[in-house]
Amino acid sequence: VGLQGTGKTTTAGKLASYLTKNGKKPMLAACDVYRPAAIDQLEVVGQKVGVPVYLDREEKRPEIIAQKAAQEAEYKGYDVLIVDTSGRLHIDEELMDQLVRIKDTVKPHEILLVDALTGQDAVTAAEGFNDAIGIDGIIMTKLDGDSRGGAALSVKAVTGKPIKFAGMGEKFDALEPFHPERMASRI
C-alpha cells in the first residue's frame, strides 16, 4: 500500500524478484483499477522479473480481483501473492475503504507500506495507513539518497513498525533487507 508515486508497482516487482532469488514462488496481482495503464505496467514488470501476473481487465472491484488472484495462486502452487494496490495523491476515505475491503477479503499475512516521501509527509502517510488498515512493516524506496534517513527514523518511531526493505536504485534487483545500523552509520 502507499500513496501515488511512491513506487508501489516497481517495488512489487522488486519484492517478487527478491523472493524468487530466496526460494519462494511469487505471483503478482494487478489490483490498481484506477490509474491508467497500471495493469499494463505490472504486466511488464512481471515479465521483466519472470513472475506471473494475475489480472482481470473487466472487473472493477479490487477486492474481487485480489480474491480471484489468491485462489489462482493457491491452485497453481504459488506460495506468495503480492497484491499491487492503487494509491492516491493523499490519504482519503475512498482509498482506505478499498484497502479495508481487500484486507477483509484476502486476509493478507502482511501489509507493507511503500514509502518514498520525506519529512512530515512520510510521517503523515505512515500514520494514516497504519491507523486505517494496520500496516506490518515498511519498504523505504529511494533510500539511495541521504535525505531519507530522517524519514526512516520518524516513520519507525510513529508507527512502531519495522522497516523491512530498502529500495536502493531503479533496477529490479535493487531491493535489500533493511539494516538499521547501516542507516545509523550513514547519518
Side-chain angles (χ1 to χ4, degrees):
V1 300
L3 295 177
Q4 235 172 6
T6 57
K8 288 184 305 301
T9 301
T10 300
T11 300
K14 288 179 179 184
L15 184 58
S17 178
Y18 174 85
L19 291 169
T20 300
K21 289 176 185 163
N22 286 279
K24 295 291 186 182
K25 193 174 173 188
M27 174 187 253
L28 296 163
C31 293
D32 182 349
V33 296
Y34 298 101
R35 186 170 54 92
I39 295 171
D40 296 334
Q41 182 187 358
L42 190 65
E43 194 171 27
V44 168
V45 165
Q47 289 169 356
K48 286 184 178 179
V49 299
V51 172
V53 177
Y54 182 88
L55 53 92
D56 183 338
R57 295 181 192 281
E58 304 303 315
E59 180 61 61
K60 298 303 176 202
R61 295 168 295 175
E63 67 274 15
I64 301 301
I65 298 168
Q67 181 180 42
K68 289 179 180 179
Q71 292 166 346
E72 178 91 359
E74 185 175 351
Y75 175 74
K76 292 190 173 178
Y78 294 98
D79 54 7
V80 177
L81 178 66
I82 300 168
V83 178
D84 183 34
T85 60
S86 63
R88 299 287 189 284
L89 293 175
H90 53 82
I91 292 172
D92 67 15
E93 191 174 329
E94 180 186 354
L95 173 62
M96 293 306 156
D97 288 347
Q98 178 188 119
L99 295 174
V100 166
R101 286 193 312 273
I102 293 171
K103 178 182 177 181
D104 290 346
T105 302
V106 297
K107 299 178 180 23
H109 291 103
E110 281 195 307
I111 298 174
L112 299 175
L113 172 67
V114 177
D115 192 331
L117 304 171
T118 57
Q120 188 59 43
D121 289 335
V123 172
T124 302
E127 200 169 35
F129 279 96
N130 193 42
D131 290 348
I133 61 169
I135 62 172
D136 297 297
I138 300 141
I139 299 176
M140 298 291 290
T141 59
K142 302 176 185 171
L143 205 55
D144 41 341
D146 289 337
S147 65
R148 305 269 295 125
L153 290 171
S154 298
V155 165
K156 167 70 172 111
V158 165
T159 65
K161 306 299 180 183
I163 299 171
K164 295 194 171 199
F165 291 96
M168 303 302 285
E170 295 298 316
K171 296 187 177 170
F172 287 109
D173 63 354
L175 184 74
E176 60 187 43
F178 180 74
H179 298 285
E181 66 280 357
R182 291 182 193 167
M183 177 61 66
S185 70
R186 285 177 58 188
I187 292 173

